[in-house]
Amino acid sequence: MLFADDIVLVAESKRTLNERLEEWRVALESKGLRISRSKTEYLHCDFSGATNIEDVRIMIEGQAVPLVTKFKYLGSFMQSDGDIDSDVAHRIRVGWCRWRAATGILCDRRFPVKLKGKFYKVVVRSAMLYGSESWAIKKTQVRKLEVAEMRMLRWMSGHTRLDKIRNEVFRTNFEVACISEKFREGRLRWFGHVKRRQLTAPVRAVDSISVEGRRGRGRLKMSWDERIRQDLLDLHLSEDMVEERAEWRRRIKAKGV
């Protein structure tokens, strides 16, 4: 841990966080290492909007640590309000970067269409799906990802929207399933993995945590559990089916590839 590039400290209060930050500073400096003052930042998570912010500053040896509304950790973004807009936008940007780097193959008419589809699924779509298993994604966010994917598939085929070719035609030719269905498949695959673990496993302990405190005003945001329940209803599945792993994977498989 002393040589980890990215370290996250979690605390329920700013005072506790300051204490832990000082402990890490002392431990690292005793080994000849140093916490970066310019890269260190902190995020105040207020998912319900009902908590009060303490009048305490986060400090490293008298230097204030800046407050941010989002930060990137291990390839994913976390927002102070608990939403995933930044993460979705980042995944789209990463997908386009992978697509542009591979245009020599994806847009070359000499390559077979099915080969392009396989290359797209391995290089581009996998980058866009990274970390999506834990997303409580909304319809508007899914739509943004679908639009980005269809633009890629149309350019790969050498057509535009002016040609008035339906999206299903491109997906069939490239043998590429709709990305929204791949998101659902990934969520349900992870859900099955979690439910098959022992009750003493850390992931099951996190799944059973109950949050204390008052909820904020207005409609509650969609949770991951609610998203899973909707997925189960859409596919006519139940939680007890997860025990048969092979059958579960077959049932949640997206249409196409």
Side-chain angles (χ1 to χ4, degrees):
M1 287 296 295
L2 290 175
F3 296 94
D5 291 330
D6 299 312
I7 299 175
V8 171
L9 302 179
V10 181
E12 295 184 0
S13 67
K14 289 186 177 181
R15 291 183 175 84
T16 305
L17 181 58
N18 269 326
E19 294 173 358
R20 292 183 178 178
L21 187 57
E22 179 63 17
E23 291 176 0
W24 267 102
R25 185 192 66 80
V26 173
L28 290 172
E29 291 183 355
S30 66
K31 303 296 182 180
L33 304 175
R34 185 175 184 272
I35 296 178
S36 173
R37 272 58 169 176
S38 61
K39 295 182 179 179
T40 303
E41 54 193 21
Y42 81 95
L43 179 75
H44 176 255
C45 298
D46 188 12
F47 300 151
S48 66
T51 58
N52 296 321
I53 301 178
E54 299 173 279
D55 188 18
V56 177
R57 301 183 69 182
I58 306 299
M59 310 286 288
I60 302 179
E61 283 193 308
Q63 181 174 339
V65 177
L67 171 66
V68 296
T69 57
K70 63 180 180 180
F71 76 92
K72 183 180 179 181
Y73 183 65
L74 299 180
S76 298
F77 276 92
M78 176 177 288
Q79 295 180 209
S80 58
D81 58 0
D83 214 327
I84 61 171
D85 290 326
S86 298
D87 215 4
V88 171
H90 178 62
R91 286 296 108 205
I92 294 175
R93 289 195 299 270
V94 171
W96 275 115
C97 288
R98 299 292 184 272
W99 188 88
R100 292 188 183 98
T103 51
I105 295 175
L106 296 177
C107 296
D108 193 331
R109 295 182 179 273
R110 295 173 298 175
F111 282 87
V113 173
K114 292 184 178 180
L115 179 59
K116 290 183 181 181
K118 291 181 180 179
F119 194 85
Y120 167 82
K121 288 180 286 188
V122 173
V123 176
V124 180
R125 191 175 67 183
S126 60
M128 297 177 69
L129 293 174
Y130 177 82
S132 62
E133 296 86 355
S134 59
W135 286 355
I137 196 166
K138 296 180 288 190
K139 291 182 179 179
T140 54
Q141 296 163 339
V142 171
R143 181 59 182 165
K144 292 179 181 179
L145 289 154
E146 289 179 344
V147 169
E149 180 182 63
M150 287 313 306
R151 288 182 65 188
M152 296 177 188
L153 296 181
R154 288 179 184 275
W155 278 347
M156 286 164 54
S157 63
H159 294 281
T160 66
R161 295 189 64 182
L162 296 177
D163 297 316
K164 297 183 179 180
I165 302 176
R166 298 181 64 87
N167 295 343
E168 290 75 12
V169 175
F170 295 106
R171 294 196 182 104
T172 301
N173 293 339
F174 289 109
E175 296 184 349
V176 173
C178 182
I179 196 169
S180 60
E181 295 181 0
K182 295 302 294 184
F183 278 123
R184 182 176 62 191
E185 179 186 336
R187 283 194 303 269
L188 291 176
R189 186 173 63 249
W190 173 247
F191 172 74
H193 172 71
V194 171
K195 289 300 181 180
R196 285 190 294 269
R197 298 296 299 275
Q198 298 293 329
L199 293 176
T200 55
V203 68
R204 294 301 301 273
V206 173
D207 184 48
S208 61
I209 287 178
S210 58
V211 181
E212 299 179 357
R214 297 183 297 109
R215 62 177 290 268
R217 298 181 63 182
R219 182 179 179 180
L220 288 175
K221 296 180 181 179
M222 175 176 287
S223 65
W224 186 76
D225 288 337
E226 185 179 350
R227 180 74 269 175
I228 289 294
R229 287 194 293 270
Q230 186 60 51
D231 292 337
L232 295 176
L233 287 174
D234 292 341
L235 296 181
H236 307 289
L237 301 175
S238 60
E239 292 188 13
D240 57 350
M241 295 180 179
V242 302
E243 298 302 328
E244 297 293 334
R245 182 175 181 177
E247 180 64 15
W248 178 255
R249 295 289 291 270
R250 185 188 66 81
R251 286 176 175 268
I252 65 175
K253 186 71 175 178
K255 296 179 181 179
V257 182

